[in-house]
Amino acid sequence: MGHLVLVASPFQGHMTPMLQLGSVLHSKGFSITLAHTKLNSPDPSNHPEIEFLSLDDNFLAIDASANFTKFLEVLNDNCRLQLQDRLNRKIQEAKEDMTAIIHDNIMYSVEEVARNLNVPSIVLRSSSASYMPAFLALPKLHAQGQLPVQDYMREKIVPELYPLRYKDLPFNSTSTKVIKEMFAQSEIIRTPSAIIWNTMEFLENSALTKLREHYKVPIFAIGPLNETARYTSTSFLKEDTNCISWLDKQAPRSVIYVSLGSLATMEEHELAETAWGLANSNQPFLWVVRPGSVKGSEWIEFLPEGFVDEVRGRGLVLKWAPQKQVLAHSAVGGFWSHCGWNSTLESISQGVPMICRPFLGDQFVNCRYLSYVWRVGLELEYLERRVIMTVIRRLLVDEEGEEIRKRANNVKEKAKYCLCKGGSSFNSLNNLVEFILASYSNFT
Ligand code: UDP
């Protein structure tokens, strides 16, 4: 059918949907090569249908608190020429044409590689669509002096971005200089042939409409990819599957699953508030604390004294969970999440209601949509033990939680329908395949 080169970036939340997209497009008949950095490389044994191409990036780790725009600049510089060289060689050796290159939006330099190789370039966006109009509005808000957001403005609605409040804006406390740099970088992405969005029309129709007007190229909403792709682990960290037998022993819908994704960090006092909030809720909990995610610690050495005894038999703390399996487990009654887009889609796909506590970027927008628009989650406003205990009980014990669960199940059913024959994502995926084949013949 054709050969697609996918170019991933070294972030868990971006790698996962790229691998899923590779698996989905392979099932449509394409052969797939996935180029990735050595830093955070995927495990090829989990993806036998994909050929992997590893690029030297010269990075040892990602530091979420460091200068992100600089990181992306170096990443793109390090990968661009190597990728072009490797793909040129591959074409010559295999005497095989390349049908298109699909790249992560932050690997913006790949557009130039595609131009040089004379193939169409398509972008994969792994954030929510609703985040983008807010991101695109930042320069204007900044020019009006509204960024970084002042305390007295936080609860007010941003007039042109209803229902977002100023505090829901992505990068709402980021410095002016960094916002300018981010925009300069996002302008580098100029002429993709199309954009693939890991979302669903019914969920984000209004944002998708705005984005189609803005980008003026076809946008294919083919999500949720976590449901279409063959199930396999896409994690960089080792998944601790022992938690599944622990979940087997818990009552249906009784457990609160807590995970803040691959990048979020917390202070020692926030760890203590979370620990006591969970303990005082009296509900069983499964809590992912990523090694190094508590500032200044290796893992959980800062857990408050007395906590382990207090929750013995009722709670499990682990380093990394098989999240999709956890969310599919009947014992899980709620998901306290940082509202990363993959976690959001995974939760929605299983009808698990959420507690929303965003940390960075698009997560603030996702939190607002989850809690206020789709109404499948409760916003956790303060990381304080009493507030945490209350919100967990509202979700898992109170009648309010039952109502939220009903809505979550309703969204789950609609998401399923999108993927069935005739559903919007099903159709979009077929349209994407046709688009790729047609663009290729126009290029050659
Ligand atoms: N994840 C996981 N186990 C964990 C925590 C997270 O497998 O213990 C996965 C989760 O299923 C999701 C991804 O890591 O697919 C995190 O992506 P997301 O977009 O939610 O957040 P990010 O890590 O980008 O902040």
Side-chain angles (χ1 to χ4, degrees):
M1 174 106 134
H3 177 206
L4 300 175
V5 173
L6 274 50
V7 186
S9 77
F11 293 91
Q12 181 71 72
H14 289 229
M15 178 62 81
T16 293
M18 189 59 92
L19 286 165
Q20 290 165 341
L21 180 66
S23 141
V24 167
L25 290 172
H26 179 267
S27 73
K28 289 284 176 188
F30 291 101
S31 63
I32 307 287
T33 300
L34 190 144
H36 61 86
T37 52
K38 280 210 171 125
L39 169 70
N40 290 343
S41 49
D43 178 352
S45 66
N46 288 332
H47 315 279
E49 72 279 29
I50 296 177
E51 183 192 342
F52 288 92
L53 197 156
S54 168
L55 304 170
D56 278 319
D57 46 79
N58 298 324
F59 285 115
L60 294 175
I62 294 171
D63 178 357
S65 58
N67 183 332
F68 187 60
T69 46
K70 185 75 198 156
F71 175 83
L72 292 192
E73 199 182 306
V74 178
L75 176 70
N76 274 277
D77 280 352
N78 289 356
C79 292
R80 182 172 47 87
L81 287 179
Q82 266 187 79
L83 179 69
Q84 177 149 338
D85 198 42
R86 300 280 294 275
L87 293 183
N88 259 328
R89 255 188 291 155
K90 204 169 156 51
I91 293 171
Q92 280 159 13
E93 280 162 17
K95 302 210 172 3
E96 178 185 30
D97 270 355
M98 210 170 293
T99 318
I101 300 187
I102 301 177
H103 66 92
D104 187 318
N105 66 291
I106 64 175
M107 301 301 282
Y108 50 82
S109 65
V110 176
E111 220 177 76
E112 192 185 324
V113 176
R115 234 188 338 266
N116 292 340
L117 294 171
N118 200 29
V119 288
S121 73
I122 298 173
V123 170
L124 170 65
R125 305 263 357 179
S126 37
S127 68
S128 61
S130 305
Y131 152 75
M132 260 338 264
F135 179 74
L136 294 169
L138 292 181
K140 189 169 155 211
L141 293 169
H142 162 246
Q144 293 168 346
Q146 302 193 46
L147 291 173
V149 174
Q150 306 288 310
D151 274 353
Y152 75 97
M153 291 293 283
R154 286 178 62 77
E155 298 296 331
K156 295 193 175 143
I157 298 278
V158 186
E160 60 271 49
L161 291 173
Y162 182 84
L164 298 185
R165 301 155 298 184
Y166 281 89
K167 70 175 185 183
D168 304 318
L169 287 171
F171 312 104
N172 56 55
S173 51
T174 305
S175 81
T176 303
K177 179 172 167 283
V178 174
I179 288 184
K180 273 190 179 160
E181 284 171 7
M182 274 183 342
F183 262 88
Q185 225 162 31
S186 73
E187 287 297 302
I188 299 172
I189 308 163
R190 287 191 200 99
T191 52
S193 305
I195 305 174
I196 300 169
W197 227 294
N198 188 14
T199 189
M200 293 154 275
E201 292 286 346
F202 86 89
L203 197 67
E204 299 203 278
N205 182 265
S206 134
L208 286 166
T209 305
K210 282 188 197 146
L211 294 170
R212 287 188 172 111
E213 276 164 25
H214 178 82
Y215 287 112
K216 301 188 173 40
V217 294
I219 293 184
F220 299 96
I222 65 167
L225 283 165
N226 51 290
E227 288 296 294
T228 357
R230 182 180 66 82
Y231 176 76
T232 183
S233 169
T234 55
S235 290
F236 298 145
L237 296 176
K238 190 172 163 5
E239 294 176 353
D240 180 349
T241 49
N242 291 328
C243 62
I244 301 296
S245 48
W246 181 85
L247 281 173
D248 289 342
K249 295 186 203 106
Q250 310 304 320
R253 293 196 295 276
S254 64
V255 175
I256 179 81
Y257 167 59
V258 187
S259 165
L260 309 181
S262 62
L263 293 171
T265 53
M266 57 165 70
E267 304 286 345
E268 184 181 346
H269 72 90
E270 293 176 319
L271 181 84
E273 290 305 309
T274 304
W276 287 124
L278 289 168
N280 298 344
S281 76
N282 255 330
Q283 290 298 123
F285 62 86
L286 186 61
W287 181 13
V288 177
V289 182
R290 240 178 38 250
S293 63
V294 181
K295 290 182 188 155
S297 76
E298 290 278 316
W299 187 37
I300 48 172
E301 57 274 28
F302 291 164
L303 276 178
E305 228 182 289
F307 169 74
V308 173
D309 288 335
E310 175 75 26
V311 300
R312 200 175 298 285
R314 181 159 61 83
L316 194 63
V317 180
L318 68 171
K319 292 180 175 167
W320 192 255
Q323 181 163 301
K324 288 185 274 293
Q325 275 171 270
V326 166
L327 289 170
H329 199 288
S330 56
V332 172
F335 178 15
W336 170 355
S337 169
H338 67 310
C339 308
W341 189 237
N342 293 286
S343 295
T344 300
L345 289 176
E346 289 157 15
S347 208
I348 280 178
S349 306
Q350 295 301 334
V352 176
M354 295 169 78
I355 291 174
C356 307
R357 174 76 190 172
F359 173 71
L360 53 76
D362 66 332
Q363 298 156 14
F364 296 101
V365 177
N366 302 345
C367 166
R368 179 66 165 164
Y369 274 79
L370 282 162
S371 56
Y372 186 79
V373 181
W374 307 323
R375 296 169 65 223
V376 296
L378 292 170
E379 184 179 1
L380 173 60
E381 301 226 29
Y382 304 100
L383 208 57
E384 198 267 308
R385 61 191 74 183
R386 281 186 67 82
V387 183
I388 295 170
M389 175 198 78
T390 309
V391 82
I392 293 174
R393 294 196 66 79
R394 276 171 67 197
L395 195 72
L396 291 179
V397 184
D398 296 354
E399 222 165 274
E400 185 186 7
E402 254 328 290
E403 291 303 311
I404 299 174
R405 188 181 319 282
K406 277 186 201 148
R407 283 194 292 272
N409 269 319
N410 188 18
V411 175
K412 169 187 164 176
E413 290 309 316
K414 286 187 179 159
K416 251 195 206 158
Y417 181 70
C418 284
L419 301 175
C420 295
K421 193 164 180 224
S424 65
S425 297
F426 177 95
N427 289 343
S428 252
L429 179 60
N430 287 338
N431 294 342
L432 170 66
V433 171
E434 278 175 27
F435 176 86
I436 292 173
L437 296 175
S439 323
Y440 173 63
S441 29
N442 289 342
F443 260 74
T444 47

